[in-house]
Amino acid sequence: MEAKYSKWRKLDNAALAFPMVTGKDDTRVFRFYCELKETVDEATLQEALDQTMKTYPLFQAVLRKGLFWFYLEHRELRALAVPETEPPCSRLYIPDKKTLLFQVSYYKNRINFEVFHALTDGTGAMHFLQELVQNYLILAHPSADLPWVEQIEETTPGAQEEDSFSQYYSSDIPKNKEKKPAAVKLKGEKLLHADMQITEVVVPVKETLAKARSYGVSITVLLTAMLLCSIHEEIPKNRQKKPVALMIPVNLRNYFPSQSMGNFFGWIEVGYTFSDETTFQNVLYDVKKQFKEKLVKDKIAMDMNGYVRLEKNPVIRAVPLEIKKYFMMAGANLGSRSITAVYSNIGILRFPEEYQEYIERFGIFASTNSLQLCSCSYEDQMVLGFTSKIPDDSIQKNFMRMLHEEEIPYKEETNDFPGCGEQQKKEEKKVLQIFSFLCLAVSVICGMINYLMLETLNWFWFAAAGCLCAWLVVGVA
């Protein structure tokens, strides 16, 4: 590693809690992918990844636990492009295991970039994937003379690893004393991570934008209102006194200039308390009002300083991590009381026109412990990625019904994740093993009872034959 990059660096403020709240069923991993119009070649992808890592050596880091905080340590570990075998957004950070916090994989014509959120945010991931796809297509089609994707400006090592939260922190900015009401929660049994539902819906950007403009709102406001209404339809009457509220991540680089490749995001909370008379337009225009009120630089600066103020507190800084983590986990749980679900719109991916011949679309979705919607767009395709731990998919169906009612054409993509298939095979094998054991146990018990009662095995053979037939039916099915 070049000397101008730091060997160690602290986690960004927005990432401090991620290592403490992550686990096998809430991995805090998100996937950004590119679907090409051709099959991915592993050797070419590996070469493209090697080139990309030269631009982003900052990602060549492992997560370590310090006395007071977690921190990132640079390691000379080569990032490998591997076939996709695990369920999407599987665990990348395992405590005390020194592995990279991201993974590049491929399946058929899809290039996946999965990353643990403590390493970077959606903007950082988008830049990395753009560079990777660019490098891959230039290597795969040397005669096409593809142009380089224009970067707004060159980034220096210091700018990439900058702690923008600390740079823009000011103790003079007053605290935000606004109290957030408790939001309705999506209750009930939750799925395991391997069973997480993933629903992808593709909508045309032009027609969606036209619909949004007909209401005088942005696409983000339109989709936020639709998601609020879709969730509300599934809330029982006795719990509708609380608002349905969405956490909307905000890219702070749009308000405070930064080239940081780490986490530099905040969020706003947008909610609505429904009544029997509420119409979609009521929700839509109230959401528009909330966006206008909350997406103001002074208000965002106030919220951002609130995040950093706790980190800068000398008493909190002096508390050992093993004690501090319990308070941070409690704080995270307390903060989530005002949130029902999450909607994150990453924005637009731009490539020169020559790349359209090779790129089908981009998409993004994230692990969740409840429900999350992510979106991004490329050319005229906007991909909406729902992830849900709720067994019922009614909210997603409500959303698609609303798209139809608003005359926005859409296409629901068919999931094709090989890791999910492998997980299902493992589960089916386990069930068959348990059933085989039960059949054998029943046969043995019947034989023992038959012999003890009659000192013969005359009806044992009928029981054994029945168990064998049942096993064959289950095994073949």
Side-chain angles (χ1 to χ4, degrees):
M1 183 181 68
E2 297 180 25
K4 51 190 176 181
Y5 279 96
S6 302
K7 175 71 174 176
W8 301 279
R9 61 188 178 93
K10 65 185 286 291
L11 287 183
D12 308 287
N13 178 271
L16 291 175
F18 288 136
M20 303 177 196
V21 298
T22 186
K24 62 180 181 179
D25 286 324
D26 189 8
T27 63
R28 300 299 170 117
V29 171
F30 62 93
R31 171 183 287 196
F32 220 142
Y33 71 85
C34 175
E35 190 167 299
L36 302 176
K37 296 179 180 179
E38 61 191 45
T39 303
V40 177
D41 177 72
E42 180 177 353
T44 307
L45 181 59
Q46 182 61 60
E47 187 177 352
L49 179 56
D50 291 339
Q51 289 184 5
T52 305
M53 291 306 296
K54 293 177 182 177
T55 307
Y56 298 107
L58 200 71
F59 285 5
Q60 207 167 356
V62 300
L63 189 61
R64 301 295 304 272
K65 183 188 290 187
L67 179 60
F68 300 105
W69 296 107
F70 285 93
Y71 64 95
L72 295 168
E73 178 182 75
H74 181 87
R75 285 291 182 94
E76 293 297 333
L77 299 173
R78 188 187 184 197
L80 299 176
V82 298
E84 181 180 348
T85 58
E86 297 294 321
C89 304
S90 290
R91 199 173 181 182
L92 290 176
Y93 168 62
I94 300 173
D96 302 321
K97 191 173 182 180
K98 307 303 181 288
T99 54
L100 296 177
L101 302 175
F102 72 91
Q103 183 178 78
V104 172
S105 62
Y106 66 93
Y107 178 66
K108 294 182 179 179
N109 58 338
R110 185 173 66 231
I111 297 174
N112 307 310
F113 176 57
E114 295 188 324
V115 58
F116 180 50
H117 215 326
L119 183 64
T120 190
D121 57 18
T123 302
M126 180 176 70
H127 290 318
F128 185 95
L129 183 61
Q130 279 183 303
E131 180 96 8
L132 178 63
V133 171
Q134 167 199 264
N135 292 342
Y136 176 84
L137 290 174
I138 289 175
L139 289 169
H141 303 280
S143 60
D145 196 26
L146 293 171
W148 295 93
V149 177
E150 289 187 18
Q151 299 293 336
I152 298 176
E153 52 187 319
E154 289 293 324
T155 59
T156 64
Q160 281 192 16
E161 62 184 10
E162 173 187 87
D163 179 9
S164 296
F165 283 102
S166 293
Q167 179 185 351
Y168 289 104
Y169 172 71
S170 172
S171 58
D172 297 330
I173 296 177
K175 295 181 180 180
N176 184 353
K177 297 181 180 180
E178 176 189 356
K179 290 187 177 181
K180 299 174 182 178
V184 67
K185 308 298 284 187
L186 299 173
K187 294 185 176 181
E189 182 184 358
K190 296 296 193 295
L191 298 171
L192 298 176
H193 178 77
D195 302 320
M196 181 175 71
Q197 291 193 46
I198 301 172
T199 306
E200 290 192 287
V201 179
V202 182
V203 297
V205 173
K206 290 179 182 177
E207 292 178 63
T208 307
L209 181 60
K211 175 57 68 174
R213 285 177 173 170
S214 72
Y215 286 119
V217 302
S218 67
I219 289 180
T220 303
V221 169
L222 176 67
L223 297 180
T224 298
M226 293 176 74
L227 183 55
L228 286 170
C229 292
S230 300
I231 294 172
H232 164 70
E233 291 183 31
E234 301 307 312
I235 304 301
K237 282 276 187 182
N238 61 352
R239 294 203 291 124
Q240 290 186 4
K241 292 182 180 180
K242 292 182 178 180
V244 179
L246 299 181
M247 172 184 173
I248 314 287
V250 176
N251 182 9
L252 295 178
R253 300 169 184 84
N254 294 333
Y255 299 87
F256 306 97
S258 171
Q259 295 179 333
S260 171
M261 283 295 292
N263 284 281
F264 191 43
F265 72 95
W267 65 86
I268 61 173
E269 293 174 17
V270 176
Y272 192 88
T273 304
F274 289 80
S275 68
D276 293 338
E277 294 75 33
T278 298
T279 65
F280 175 60
Q281 283 82 358
N282 293 149
V283 180
L284 185 65
Y285 295 128
D286 190 75
V287 168
K288 178 184 178 181
K289 178 184 176 184
Q290 291 182 63
F291 268 70
K292 185 176 180 180
E293 291 173 350
K294 296 181 179 183
L295 292 179
V296 177
K297 186 173 181 178
D298 290 345
K299 181 75 165 59
I300 289 173
M302 188 184 297
D303 291 337
M304 182 178 69
N305 272 264
Y307 313 148
V308 183
R309 188 173 281 112
L310 287 173
E311 179 191 352
K312 299 290 186 182
N313 186 297
V315 176
I316 294 176
R317 293 177 67 177
V319 176
L321 181 60
E322 286 302 313
I323 299 174
K324 189 185 300 175
K325 68 179 182 182
Y326 295 108
F327 293 96
M328 294 191 70
M329 290 170 67
N333 290 330
L334 188 64
S336 67
R337 288 177 65 253
S338 59
I339 298 168
T340 307
V342 180
Y343 171 42
S344 179
N345 185 8
I346 301 302
I348 305 170
L349 289 103
R350 293 184 172 87
F351 279 79
E353 186 178 346
E354 292 86 342
Y355 284 80
Q356 292 181 29
E357 182 181 346
Y358 307 101
I359 298 175
E360 181 64 39
R361 69 170 186 268
F362 286 85
I364 183 171
F365 50 82
S367 67
T368 179
N369 58 6
S370 183
L371 176 75
Q372 181 158 344
L373 170 61
C374 298
S375 62
C376 68
S377 61
Y378 167 72
E379 294 298 325
D380 193 43
Q381 291 192 91
M382 186 175 197
V383 179
L384 312 175
F386 290 88
T387 45
S388 174
K389 292 285 181 66
I390 304 165
D392 187 4
D393 63 349
S394 297
I395 293 174
Q396 297 92 310
K397 289 178 178 177
N398 293 342
F399 191 94
M400 286 183 271
R401 190 202 71 244
M402 290 192 69
L403 288 172
H404 177 72
E405 291 172 352
E406 293 298 323
E407 299 179 336
I408 300 174
Y410 70 89
K411 177 186 177 185
E412 183 179 358
E413 290 294 328
T414 303
N415 286 345
D416 190 9
F417 304 121
C420 291
E422 289 300 315
Q423 186 70 23
Q424 186 176 359
K425 288 178 184 176
K426 290 178 184 177
E427 291 175 359
E428 290 173 353
K429 184 178 180 181
K430 186 176 181 180
V431 170
L432 183 59
Q433 288 174 341
I434 293 172
F435 187 74
S436 300
F437 172 78
L438 291 175
C439 287
L440 183 61
V442 169
S443 299
V444 171
I445 292 170
C446 286
M448 292 173 63
I449 294 173
N450 190 189
Y451 185 79
L452 290 172
M453 292 178 65
L454 304 174
E455 294 188 356
T456 181
L457 297 175
N458 51 3
W459 57 264
F460 158 73
W461 301 109
F462 293 100
C467 289
L468 178 61
C469 289
W471 185 87
L472 287 172
V473 169
V474 173
V476 172

